[in-house]
Amino acid sequence: MAVTIQHVIPFENLGRADVPRVGGKNASLGEMVAHLAAQGVPVPPGFATTADAYWQYVDANGLRKPMADAIAELRAGHATLAETGSLLRRAFLGGQWPAETAAAIRTHYAALSQCAGRDAVDVAVRSSATAEDLPDASFAGQQETFLNIRGDDALLDACRRCYASLFTDRAISYRETKGFDHLKVALSVGVQLMVRSDVGGSGVMFSIDTETGFDKVAVITAAWGLGETVVQGAVDPDEYQVFKPLLANESLVPVLEKHLGSKTIKMIYASESGKSTRTVPTSKVERASYVLNDGEIVKLARWACIIENHYGCPMDIEWAKDGQTDALYIVQARPETVQSRKEAGTLRSYSLSDKGKVLVTGLSIGDAAVSGRVCILDSAKDIDRFVDGSILVTENTDPDWVPIMKRAAAIITDRGGRTSHAAIVSRELGLPAIVGTGNATQVLHDEQEITVSCAEGDTAFVYEGTAKIAIETLDIAAIPATRTQVMLNMGNPAAAFRWWRLPADGVGLARMEFVVSNHVKVHPMALVKYDQLQDVDAKREIDALTVGYADRTDYFVERLARGLSRIAAAFYPRPVIIRMSDFKTNEYANLVGGAQFEPHEENPMIGFRGASRYYSPRYREGFALECRAIKHLREQMGFDNVVVMIPFCRSIAEADKVLEVMAGNGLRRGENGLEVYVMCEIPSNVILAPAFAERFDGFSIGSNDLTQLTLGVDRDSEQLAGLFDEQDDAVKWMIGHVISAARDAGAKIGICGQAPSDHPDFAAFLVECGINSISVTPDSFIRVKQKVAEAEARKG
């Protein structure tokens, strides 16, 4: 009895179990069309040729023996990779379609065109090898994709070219490395209705943070035009980050990050004969605009959650926006294969010292650091010039670069985003990489000694010379549980996700001033009183930073809220205590436009700082922007785990004034669950602790300032450094007294000063006193946690 061969299958008749028939890519498309459309995830329709159709093409053209012979010659060293690939591609391109296969493709194409209401619809033609996109074969892009294909003949030709692309040099090399039998790998061709993203936009989305493995965010990249520029790393795309747990509440917009990419080029349809696409420069308006608005960002992130929940694992997803209808579509989805498979029980921490000057910055891929010599290559054909163990520097990479990348210690590119080829392959290889530097190939030179650091957050740095790199492996499983909460001190939003795996009880101190200085950069009063600003250079810089904002103060509010949101997200729903800005006047003056609005003080350390600024006419309007940012963070973004903390509050009268100003700006203690803490860093806070406890929900001891003001020692004085001792009996008396007073008043009390981080044994004293929480730097968390556990065991 003759076996009936199914040459073509519509997507809606496919599912995950059909990988052997149509490859991972097409099986996944079928799975989504069949099961996720009802949940509101739109996937353009299409069909797939089967593995059987591929083998029928091979046999009809007598290609099995030439394939086997060519591979044997390659393995015997009688032919080069390039000669073998060229020979096999020519053999496939010269083949003829079996009549029944060609007829089936034409029939399904006609049905797809009819469904779209057109005579000959334009389609995307993608390769899906039966070994591609499997858990142990995650290097996508080994075969070709052809866009804007229209008409029967053009479609059959594109399908033939897909077959031939199974034998590109990089695909052959990849299968040899993976140990796949070339004669057992078939190819399915996916034919999908084109989304007119050539006049819209497209990109890639991950349902997990690709650098840290933080599984509560979706990361989206976006560029104008067809998506190949993003995948190839030819463009620096926009990047958005969304906090997934809050997406269920449709009234919230939990967009943590919006980075505007340069997007200098885009791929569009080609009108000239013989070409289906072409790359053109983008307009100035396109470069200055985000591809997606907040509603679209949130919609895509919700779809990512639906897809992830359906597949049961983090996902790597491609999306497209139709510029004619503004409709969004999912065009591909496959399991994420790097972070989701990392060992969860350990955490490696890198720290650098003796760093040289910063030469180049870019997007950080991975979290490691390495030193080495530069090797700049213009083309993958220059592989013979590459010195093993060097740091590869180039404009951007594609699959042809993989053999070189495997031999590198690190990778640096001028172009590309977090979803570019260079980024994806670097993660696969476990290499630190810096992408989208813009100028690395111009600034660096061959044989130059440099240090590549991806260990400092989202921004990566290239330092001159060889820095000292310390690596610590943290065993998370060995961290003991404690009754006393151990929290983290944090300031850098870019590094927050690095520590999400630590079993911290939240963040005991998030420094707002760090976010203002590095994320916002502008003095708030320079935005409030922009028209009165006299510094022309500052005005010019503010104009550049606030492009797109009708009201410049919205820039401050949005940037500050988003920066803080990354810290709040990393530990949600555990409490994150955000200290309102605590710059000294000389530090405020260093912000853009700040000099005009700050007085000169002889001793800023005990001058116009903290609470005294918040109700002062000099800064009250600036503090209002800080309050707006916190209100936005809690109510519009949804981070109700945020606790507000007031620093350097000298008196009860001052406390009342600050609370009144906050209430006037929409932050009333007790409303919507808002808690307000006060820093305990002045002797008056200790002496009048019961009265402060009536006005605040908790205290956080700032041991640095409390030591300074208790002992009368300038903490910045080199001459008095020997006298500055947080473990002095007088300081310990102060700390013990306020802990007792707070507990008697029913207020929470913790410590966020440097003492427990610098002196883990100090934690034992705090436990004996009955403190509720200890907040420390991430790198000292485990040591302090162990000391707390030991102290609790002794205390019983």
Side-chain angles (χ1 to χ4, degrees):
M1 183 176 175
V3 177
T4 302
I5 293 177
Q6 196 168 8
H7 300 89
V8 177
I9 305 174
F11 285 161
E12 60 266 26
N13 294 337
L14 293 170
R16 275 186 282 183
D18 292 306
V19 171
R21 289 205 293 172
V22 295
K25 198 176 294 182
N26 289 331
S28 182
L29 283 169
E31 181 77 14
M32 290 191 293
V33 168
H35 298 285
L36 298 184
Q39 297 185 54
V41 179
V43 179
F47 58 88
T49 66
T50 63
D52 287 339
Y54 168 81
W55 290 120
Q56 189 175 62
Y57 183 94
V58 168
D59 290 336
N61 290 283
L63 296 176
R64 283 190 193 252
K65 189 173 186 304
M67 289 163 63
D69 291 346
I71 296 300
E73 288 290 295
L74 172 66
R75 289 174 176 168
H78 299 151
T80 66
L81 176 62
E83 290 168 343
T84 303
S86 177
L87 174 68
L88 292 175
R89 290 193 300 274
R90 285 199 308 272
F92 271 86
L93 290 172
Q96 297 299 313
W97 282 104
E100 58 226 295
T101 309
I105 292 172
R106 287 193 177 97
T107 298
H108 282 80
Y109 177 63
L112 188 62
S113 297
Q114 185 177 11
C115 179
R118 281 173 272 173
D119 290 336
V121 73
D122 44 319
V123 292
V125 181
R126 294 187 173 93
S127 309
S128 182
T130 55
E132 188 181 16
D133 296 330
L134 295 180
D136 61 344
S138 57
F139 283 18
Q142 296 301 323
Q143 284 76 47
E144 298 293 344
T145 292
F146 303 98
L147 305 176
N148 187 27
I149 303 300
R150 188 182 293 108
D152 287 355
D153 292 342
L155 176 57
L156 288 168
D157 181 60
C159 291
R160 186 187 288 110
R161 284 188 284 163
C162 281
Y163 281 177
S165 74
L166 194 57
F167 292 95
T168 59
D169 296 355
R170 61 179 180 257
I172 296 171
S173 174
Y174 171 72
R175 290 194 297 275
E176 285 287 293
T177 301
K178 285 286 185 179
F180 294 146
D181 185 339
H182 299 271
L183 297 179
K184 290 184 179 178
V185 175
L187 191 131
S188 166
V189 179
V191 179
Q192 188 176 40
L193 185 69
M194 275 290 292
V195 176
R196 288 303 305 271
S197 58
D198 61 305
V199 290
S202 51
V204 177
M205 171 167 60
F206 285 90
S207 66
I208 188 173
D209 181 51
T210 50
E211 309 318 314
T212 65
F214 184 43
D215 57 3
K216 292 182 174 60
V217 291
V219 179
I220 304 169
T221 55
W224 301 111
L226 302 170
E228 293 304 295
T229 56
V230 177
V231 175
Q232 293 167 0
V235 69
D236 296 327
D238 294 343
E239 182 177 314
Y240 318 109
Q241 295 181 2
V242 188
F243 189 59
K244 296 187 297 184
L246 296 176
L247 287 170
N249 186 338
E250 295 195 1
S251 68
L252 301 177
V253 184
V255 179
L256 307 180
E257 182 65 60
K258 288 174 70 174
H259 169 73
L260 186 68
S262 58
K263 308 181 297 292
T264 55
I265 58 171
K266 63 179 178 179
M267 184 180 286
I268 62 171
Y269 282 9
S271 53
E272 56 264 38
S273 177
K275 290 183 67 177
S276 58
T277 61
R278 65 191 181 103
T279 301
V280 298
T282 49
S283 68
K284 289 182 179 179
V285 170
E286 287 173 322
R287 295 176 194 184
S289 304
Y290 289 111
V291 175
L292 298 172
N293 60 40
D294 284 356
E296 292 168 331
I297 294 167
V298 168
K299 179 183 284 189
L300 283 174
R302 287 199 175 102
W303 291 350
C305 293
I306 292 170
I307 295 168
E308 180 180 61
N309 289 339
H310 179 77
Y311 282 84
C313 64
M315 297 296 288
D316 172 357
I317 303 161
E318 293 182 29
W319 62 269
K321 178 181 177 180
D322 192 309
Q324 295 180 333
T325 64
D326 284 340
L328 292 167
Y329 296 91
I330 299 299
V331 295
Q332 277 193 52
R334 51 186 164 262
E336 192 275 342
T337 55
V338 179
Q339 287 295 345
S340 58
R341 300 182 190 283
K342 276 194 174 179
E343 193 175 332
T346 59
L347 182 68
R348 297 189 84 189
S349 174
Y350 293 77
S351 58
L352 282 74
S353 58
D354 295 344
K355 297 182 288 191
K357 72 175 183 179
V358 175
L359 301 175
V360 172
T361 63
L363 294 174
S364 179
I365 306 301
D367 57 4
V370 67
S371 296
R373 288 187 176 180
V374 170
C375 184
I376 300 177
L377 298 183
D378 296 326
S379 167
K381 294 176 181 176
D382 299 330
I383 187 170
D384 292 340
R385 279 193 52 233
F386 189 75
V387 179
D388 286 0
S390 296
I391 295 172
L392 172 64
V393 180
T394 188
E395 286 194 20
N396 68 308
T397 68
D398 60 31
D400 290 331
W401 286 85
V402 172
I404 301 175
M405 297 169 80
K406 289 177 179 177
R407 296 161 51 194
I411 295 159
I412 304 172
T413 67
D414 286 347
R415 301 200 301 272
R418 295 189 198 282
T419 54
S420 65
H421 177 269
I424 291 169
V425 174
S426 296
R427 290 189 201 101
E428 294 280 356
L429 297 174
L431 297 176
I434 306 179
V435 299
T437 63
N439 61 352
T441 56
Q442 306 300 314
V443 174
L444 305 177
H445 61 79
D446 279 334
E447 298 187 22
Q448 183 177 12
E449 293 279 354
I450 62 170
T451 299
V452 170
S453 173
C454 296
E456 300 171 65
D458 286 354
T459 300
F461 301 89
V462 175
Y463 297 107
E464 187 175 51
T466 302
K468 290 181 181 177
I469 302 171
I471 306 173
E472 185 178 6
T473 301
L474 309 176
D475 184 0
I476 296 172
I479 299 174
T482 58
R483 296 187 299 276
T484 307
Q485 292 185 331
V486 181
M487 308 171 84
L488 298 179
N489 293 339
M490 305 209 79
N492 183 2
F497 293 171
R498 289 179 59 200
W499 305 107
W500 72 275
R501 286 192 173 92
L502 285 180
D505 293 298
V507 174
L509 173 63
R511 299 179 178 90
M512 180 183 285
E513 61 272 11
F514 188 101
V515 182
V516 173
S517 179
N518 294 278
H519 211 64
V520 181
K521 301 179 181 178
V522 183
H523 194 293
M525 294 303 294
L527 297 168
V528 172
K529 298 186 180 295
Y530 175 83
D531 293 338
Q532 299 174 30
L533 187 60
Q534 297 165 7
D535 187 332
V536 176
D537 291 336
K539 272 194 165 185
R540 189 179 299 116
E541 192 168 349
I542 290 171
D543 289 343
L545 288 169
T546 59
V547 166
Y549 289 88
D551 183 340
R552 291 181 180 86
T553 61
D554 289 342
Y555 163 81
F556 185 94
V557 172
E558 186 176 292
R559 292 286 292 174
L560 180 55
R562 288 220 169 103
L564 293 169
S565 74
R566 286 174 59 91
I567 300 174
F571 299 95
Y572 184 88
R574 290 161 286 176
V576 171
I577 302 169
I578 296 177
R579 184 178 68 191
M580 305 303 275
S581 68
D582 192 27
F583 284 124
K584 287 68 175 179
T585 48
N586 57 322
E587 296 167 335
Y588 269 112
N590 288 331
L591 296 172
V592 176
Q596 181 177 326
F597 301 98
E598 296 298 330
H600 173 72
E601 295 184 303
E602 292 299 327
N603 192 350
M605 189 72 76
I606 55 172
F608 185 47
R609 63 174 285 203
S612 62
R613 298 180 64 92
Y614 302 159
Y615 57 87
S616 166
R618 269 186 174 273
Y619 190 73
R620 185 170 181 151
E621 291 168 287
F623 182 65
L625 298 188
E626 295 182 24
C627 292
R628 277 177 55 194
I630 294 293
K631 186 175 174 65
H632 181 86
L633 177 64
R634 284 178 50 86
E635 298 177 13
Q636 260 106 7
M637 299 182 76
F639 291 102
D640 53 10
N641 61 324
V642 164
V643 177
V644 172
M645 184 157 65
I646 305 303
F648 224 77
C649 187
R650 294 173 168 94
S651 69
I652 298 301
E654 191 162 71
D656 291 336
K657 288 179 183 177
V658 170
L659 290 169
E660 182 181 355
V661 171
M662 287 177 61
N665 286 292
L667 293 180
R668 187 179 298 277
R669 179 186 168 213
E671 280 189 5
N672 299 316
L674 176 65
E675 290 188 325
V676 183
Y677 284 22
V678 65
M679 288 287 293
C680 177
E681 54 193 342
I682 305 170
S684 61
N685 302 140
V686 178
I687 296 165
L688 299 177
F692 277 103
E694 292 175 5
R695 290 158 173 80
F696 295 99
D697 297 285
F699 296 86
S700 186
I701 299 165
S703 56
N704 293 345
D705 274 326
L706 187 60
T707 300
Q708 173 176 246
L709 296 173
T710 298
L711 300 179
V713 176
D714 181 349
R715 73 191 207 195
D716 290 337
S717 170
E718 292 181 16
Q719 287 75 23
L720 300 178
L723 296 176
F724 187 89
D725 182 6
E726 292 156 308
Q727 300 189 80
D728 185 275
D729 287 344
V731 179
K732 291 173 77 172
W733 184 93
M734 284 282 190
I735 291 173
H737 186 83
V738 76
I739 290 173
S740 177
R743 292 183 71 90
D744 288 346
K748 299 170 188 172
I749 182 144
I751 186 168
C752 63
Q754 194 63 27
S757 295
D758 291 344
H759 313 289
D761 289 335
F762 192 68
F765 161 73
L766 297 170
V767 171
E768 284 294 322
C769 291
I771 201 162
N772 298 125
S773 64
I774 299 173
S775 192
V776 297
T777 55
D779 58 346
S780 62
F781 175 83
I782 292 179
R783 294 193 299 278
V784 172
K785 189 82 166 170
Q786 289 168 338
K787 291 292 183 182
V788 168
E790 292 168 6
E792 288 182 347
R794 288 194 298 271
K795 187 177 180 183

